[in-house]
Amino acid sequence: MSTQTISKSSTWGGGNSPFNVSYGKLMMWVFLLSDAFTFSSLLIAYGAIRYSYDSTPIEQIDALELKFAENVQEKFAPDVAETASHAATTLEHGAEHAAEHAEHFIPALRELGVFTEAQWPSPDLVFNHFPFAHGLHLPLIFVSLMTLILILSSVTMVLGVEAGQQGNQKAVSKWMLLTIIGGFMFLGCQAWEWTNFISAGARMWSNPYGPPAFAALFFGVTGFHGFHVFSGVVLNIIIYINNLKGTYAKRGHYEMVEKVGLYWHFVDLVWVFVFTFFYLI
Amino acid sequence: MSTAVAHAHTDDHHHHEESFISKYIFSMDHKMISKQFLITGIIMGLIGMGMSIAFRLQLAYPDTSFPILEWLFGSKWAPDGKLDAGYYMALVTMHGTIMVFYVLTAGLSGTFANLLLPLQIGARDMASPFMNMLSYWFFFLSSVVLLSSLFVETGPASGGWTIYPPLSALPKAMPGSGMGMTLWLVAIILFIASSLLGGINYISTVLNMRTKGMSMTRLPLTVWALFLTAVLGLLSFPVLLGGGLLLMFDRGFGTSFYLSDIYLGSAGALEHTGGSPVLFQHLFWFLGHPEVYIIIMPALGITSEIIAVNSRKPIFGYTAMVISLLGIAFLSFIVWGHHMFITGMNPLLGAVFLVTTLIIAVPSAVKTFNYLATLWRGNIRFTNAMMFAIGLVSFFISGGLTGIFLGNATLDIQLHDTYFVVGHFHIVMGCAAIFGMLAGIYHWFPKMFGRLMNKPLGYIHFWLTFASAYLVFFPMHFIGLAGVPRRYYAFTLLPEYGQWADVNVLMTLAAILGGIAQLVFIYNFFSSIFIGKKSTENPWEANTLEWTTPVERIHGNWPGAIPTVYRWAYDYSNPAYDEDFKMQNVPDESHVVELFETNTGTAPSTKDKPETETVSFFTLIRNWFKPRTV
Ligand code: HEM
Ligand SMILES: [Cu+2]
């Protein structure tokens, strides 16, 4: 008992930080708590609007999943199938025909009663594209890839923080750089996803796949998240440059890396929710 | 003394001459920022009050022409000296917004959190002085944007301070839905940024920067209140931000988050489907209800402090006070539905909101009774601040009771959107919080400016304000019960309300009286800055740490080391001592070593021993109310 016993009164007794963190890190935590509420409000708005619509019946999705694109003739009435298959063939001509594809294909499905104003479209049927794989039905593959990239960038961020704690300036640079690349890749993917959705005819106020609210919420919420990712990348770049200049080495600690790390993980975590809400449910 | 101060000051802070700009404009000293908040708040308050007098004139004398209105608002908005009906709504909207957000949120929390948090917990400044400065400037910018909407061609926002869609979502719905509404939203988003910057700072400061010995249970109640206020703001404003963003999309990008099935006689059906205006109300009131507690909690904290100091008694039930603050803070997040009983919701949900709403009366009552118990047989000093603090208690009781009426969903069917609601919230929020703010100003004026305010003028200010406030807002309950709806421009077209014309005149005259009373205050405030009586270091003989700082209000607060705290903030009239107060930094001869020495000592102190005996529930309750020294 000759050494210090930390009693409760000294943890909260003043003159120190009860959580043993600097004020800067504490501030980041507090900010993230508040930001979590911002996202929650958007996701709750999503939930409220989403569930004021019927879902696409599961049989309908299953049936389409089975016979999407190429096999569409066998499954459906010949006249509609003609348009649909036409759409499928034009697709093979490459990316420039994507818009044309949408022009024929989506109306065809509309006629089949798959995409109606009254039904929330199944994300499986909306987000089934993949770059350079036109005409294939690849539900949610691309967005899963995006998610994977973002999660990997979180891993590199952890490694960067770890390197910072060991005071290894070179390693911090390496991992930060990888994190930045991961962030840019995610943003690039998102840009592609948006472009694809827009070229299918989606706008803030209209949506070929069904209720306009679907598109509005999609753009609004993923856009707001994307804005967070973008700010995160900018912060990461600043940290990266400072680290190259040796600012943190001089300072003797790499706490700034930890702080942006917190932010970055938070943005990742939010994406998991956005992903679940918009793509999985 | 003063040379010692100057000396230590130079030692501590590599003193360099501060320019006018860095000292008064982009200051990073929390005390200066607090004054900036206060003065901006006072100016906004005067503007808001002026607006209310203008529309009260309209309500009392709907057929009379007031050239002054035409002179003020121009012939467009007040042709022939009579307010335009749309402009009446605009003024009501701006009045509400200014008072709720700009005066009673930023003006109140901003002023006292900045002034008191570092001083009362024993810190040299906020955790991040820079963010603190940004917080003020965002607020300033936000005020400018909001006021600029008074000058746009279509006039300011006019859908009410709650900006319900569709009036707020359709830019063409009415003149005020256009540019004015856009500026309103921009202003509020800047305001939210300011409030987040401030809130993050306040929370981190209280958690991390308390001086040695300032445990959470020794914090003055002002600090607890301001701390929890910051937590409320931090968790509720983001939801308004989310809701506001979606509203902006609806306005600018053709989405329909809040719009559906709107049919306008001439224009036919508008192209909006799928949204829900009720969604907006939920998002708004999820902020809105915590917001009203964001407004009242600092005032309650200030009152606790002032009543204890001026009753020369420990605050009654310190722990109960803290727990009730925590309870209010928590409950305020789950009662928002009581603003929407009439909007329509699942009856079961309505019942839930009814119950939670009534439960919130419990911690509120605990606080009220504790104030009264503190006053009970106290050695009361009727300073100006004390008068206003007691005034707050009075308003909090009268307004809280009408809240219980409104919280009953069935009664609310009759009372919603009548003047009863207007009476309720003006008394419980408007008057109570303004009284708390004024109490705080009178009490801490010496700390801000080194001088005292004029006491006789303070009494005049108090009695005129107190009387006029009750005269304006109490009759509103009766006309509300009789069914007079709120937000009507004139009642002359509705003969059934004609019988209330005289009451309207009475309320307007009282409002004008109240306005004049504030001029007394303004004179007192600004003149005392220059010619007030010089204050001593601890003019009210209070215990808290801010009164250990020199009157000169130096950067860094204490010339020497930061004081260590040895006791709670409410050691008044303790029979164990000769003096009637013991400041927090005064060691107690018999207990000096307790907190810090024991940690390094060899023998574990009795404090660390696990409590083995079983404590009865009543002992527990009794212990709550026991005043504690170390
Ligand atoms: C005992 C506690 C309280 C209860 C039970 C209560 C209950 C209510 C209810 C049910 C309403 C809705 C009335 C309606 O619109 O039909 C209401 C309105 C309101 N209350 Fe309270 N209240 C309480 C305390 C407070 C406090 C402490 C404040 C502020 C500091 C406050 C501020 C307001 C405001 C601003 C409104 C009106 C908002 C508007 O429609 O513009 N209330 N209250
Ligand atoms: Cu409420």
Side-chain angles (χ1 to χ4, degrees), chain B residues 492-511:
Chain B
T492 36
L493 298 177
L494 307 164
E496 61 271 36
Y497 300 130
Q499 53 180 315
W500 303 110
D502 294 345
V503 183
N504 268 322
V505 174
L506 170 74
M507 291 191 289
T508 298
L509 294 179

Side-chain angles (χ1 to χ4, degrees), chain B residues 285 288-289 292-293 335-336 338-339:
Chain B
W285 287 114
H289 189 86
V292 304
Y293 280 95
V335 300
W336 79 89
H338 65 217
H339 296 275

